[in-house]
Amino acid sequence: MNVLIIGSGGREHALAWKLKQSPLLGKLHCIPGSAAIAALAACPEIAQDDHERIYGYCLAADIGLVVIGPEAPLAGGLTDFLTGKGIKVFGPSQKGAMLEASKQFAKDFMDRNGIPTAGYAVLYSAAAARERLAANKKYPVVIKADGLAAGKGVRICASEAEALAAVEDFMERRVFGAAGSKVVLEEFLTGREASVMALTDGESALLLPAARDHKRLRAGDAGPNTGGMGAVCPVEISDADMEIIRAEVIQRFLEGVKKERLNFRGVIYAGLMFTPEGPKVLEFNVRFGDPETQAVLPVIKSDLLPALAACAEGKLAGRGLELTGETCVSVVAAAAGYPEAPEKGRPITGLYDQAPGVQVFHAGTARKDDAYITAGGRVLAVAACGADVSAARERAYAALAGIKFEGMQYRKDIGL
Ligand code: AMP
Ligand code: GLY
């Protein structure tokens, strides 16, 4: 089977690496791909929102399965367009993608379907938001821009002044454009966080091992929020919590998807807070997490291709995935200036000849004169597997010590 991946980041590099190992794979393609992905897949110069040309490419390259990585093409309806023309796609419909593209839709969906989550209110104007905050006595509160904001549309506000500033930024200054036309005001939850992803064909679900990402820039959870500075998989979840995740999160998600005809064939990502009252959903993503995927895929022993194809075909029931039994620690190396203004164009050395069990997944690199240079904020992730988390950490940091570029920054405490 020929497979086309949509996307260009570290998550897609990891997907390409994993799918490339499948004995069922014919030729691998990736739109738009990256310099590193081009070592594994054909990467035609087509934009990921150019539906017509992607369809034309699927026909010309005899693509049997399209795997969509990022949220933007899902929210843009690429799945609906391609499936409408008979192409098999791993990735939910535009309506299903609303679970990520609109926080209001996601909260209302959870509310309608009895999925545990933080209490909330939707506010449709800055005036309504101010009125509500004036009456609010309990801080912190969480304020979220409704729409897609590249993971930056969430503010934990410790005081009314901070909350008012968030309302002004999101709803009046529109720092995230139309994404801030409404906001969700949410109860602040406390506890540890982890995420659980499940492959689904909209009828049944296959849980992947739980992962934890580290969102802050600096060790000890200090510094600004980022897209993610590293991840660990699996992380331990108690049997009691796991039962709630299965029965009250994933099962109710599936029931909601069926009832509301969301046509969801892909991966559902539940970002969870383990509160004193049990796990609650902080957010849904409708795609593989980044950088979680770079830590999850290395601990999956089974071939991933038949599972993804089964989701696209509505035939997931009864499938399982075998794990390696190891732990993977994936550490992101970011450029100087990340996340505000990352420096680019620095040569990278030490990328090759990694020890067994170590993979380097590229997120923001480019080729210049036969060598890799930095080309993004998060440059790469080193994913290392070991018998336990400390063995995996040791390998990951040993590998990172050999990789160099000017201004490279990474957290030393991933997995601790
Ligand atoms: P989200 O994009 O909705 O997952 O939010 C990003 C991060 O903000 C989460 O990973 C949490 O650390 C934090 N967060 C979001 N919602 C809440 C909440 N209701 N209570 C506490 N922290 C939250
Ligand atoms: N790592 C969180 C996300 O992919 O949104």
Side-chain angles (χ1 to χ4, degrees):
M1 181 191 293
N2 299 323
V3 176
L4 168 63
I5 298 172
I6 305 290
S8 62
R11 163 185 50 210
E12 288 78 18
H13 191 201
L15 281 166
W17 166 80
K18 182 66 181 161
L19 292 177
K20 195 73 181 174
Q21 297 165 36
S22 171
L24 302 173
L25 181 73
K27 200 164 179 242
L28 190 61
H29 306 256
C30 189
I31 291 176
S34 66
I37 294 171
L40 304 170
C43 299
E45 274 187 46
I46 297 176
Q48 64 183 28
D49 61 358
D50 193 338
H51 294 184
E52 285 288 354
R53 284 191 66 202
I54 292 172
Y55 173 58
Y57 190 83
C58 288
L59 294 184
D62 189 24
I63 299 296
L65 178 69
V66 177
V67 178
I68 302 181
E71 60 276 21
L74 295 166
L78 180 58
T79 300
D80 311 66
F81 184 85
L82 293 176
T83 53
K85 295 191 179 295
I87 307 284
K88 292 202 177 88
V89 178
F90 178 89
S93 69
Q94 190 165 33
K95 213 167 151 195
M98 290 283 284
L99 285 171
E100 177 168 356
S102 167
K103 303 263 187 215
Q104 175 189 17
F105 183 86
K107 295 297 286 189
D108 290 346
F109 176 89
M110 288 188 248
D111 196 38
R112 283 194 293 273
N113 293 291
I115 296 171
T117 188
Y120 73 107
V122 183
L123 299 163
Y124 297 88
S125 71
R130 289 198 183 93
E131 197 173 315
R132 177 83 187 207
L133 288 169
N136 182 62
K137 294 279 167 282
K138 212 170 143 206
Y139 286 91
V141 290
V142 184
I143 297 188
K144 301 185 176 182
D146 177 65
L148 291 176
K152 299 188 183 85
V154 175
R155 296 250 188 106
I156 315 272
C157 305
S159 65
E160 187 176 341
E162 283 185 33
L164 289 170
V167 166
E168 185 180 328
D169 287 349
F170 292 173
M171 304 190 86
E172 290 181 333
R173 293 181 51 225
R174 294 288 172 102
V175 293
F176 302 116
S181 57
K182 28 184 185 179
V183 300
V184 174
L185 183 71
E186 232 178 73
E187 169 199 9
F188 177 74
L189 301 177
T190 53
R192 289 207 85 184
E193 289 182 48
S195 44
V196 171
M197 297 191 271
L199 307 182
T200 178
D201 60 357
E203 293 287 331
S204 55
L206 175 51
L207 268 64
L208 303 181
R212 177 170 293 128
D213 76 348
H214 295 61
K215 288 203 170 91
R216 301 294 200 95
L217 181 66
R218 281 187 280 279
D221 284 329
N225 249 323
T226 72
M229 293 299 290
V232 185
C233 178
V235 293
E236 193 130 5
I237 295 183
S238 73
D239 289 347
D241 283 345
M242 210 55 223
E243 189 45 39
I244 295 176
I245 294 166
R246 280 182 195 286
E248 297 181 18
V249 178
I250 300 298
Q251 194 53 39
R252 291 180 189 176
F253 159 82
L254 284 174
E255 284 158 15
V257 154
K258 276 185 270 190
K259 220 181 324 167
E260 302 181 23
R261 298 184 190 279
L262 296 188
N263 197 7
F264 204 108
R265 294 178 169 188
V267 58
I268 182 72
Y269 167 120
L272 300 161
M273 182 80 88
F274 292 82
T275 75
E277 298 111 70
K280 295 189 180 183
V281 176
L282 292 173
E283 64 163 345
F284 279 132
N285 292 323
V286 298
R287 50 167 178 83
F288 285 108
D290 190 343
E292 289 89 339
T293 302
Q294 293 90 308
V296 173
L297 297 187
V299 303
I300 295 176
K301 188 171 178 187
S302 305
D303 188 354
L304 190 64
L305 179 49
L308 300 189
C311 291
E313 289 166 357
K315 295 180 182 157
L316 186 65
R319 270 190 184 275
L321 283 173
E322 198 184 339
L323 305 181
T324 64
E326 291 193 315
T327 295
C328 183
V329 169
S330 170
V331 184
V332 170
Y338 178 73
E340 290 87 15
E343 284 175 12
K344 295 178 185 169
R346 304 287 186 266
I348 310 169
T349 59
L351 287 170
Y352 300 104
D353 300 324
Q354 298 301 337
V358 176
Q359 293 301 325
V360 180
F361 296 123
H362 293 232
T365 71
R367 291 290 278 192
K368 193 182 169 204
D369 311 329
D370 277 355
Y372 280 105
I373 57 169
T374 65
R378 286 189 292 175
V379 174
L380 53 87
V382 171
C385 293
D388 57 24
V389 71
S390 64
R393 272 175 50 78
E394 207 165 294
R395 270 194 187 157
Y397 285 107
L400 263 172
I403 296 175
K404 294 200 163 59
F405 57 87
E406 200 188 312
M408 172 166 144
Q409 50 173 339
Y410 58 87
R411 280 178 61 158
K412 309 272 180 341
D413 64 341
I414 304 299
L416 277 189

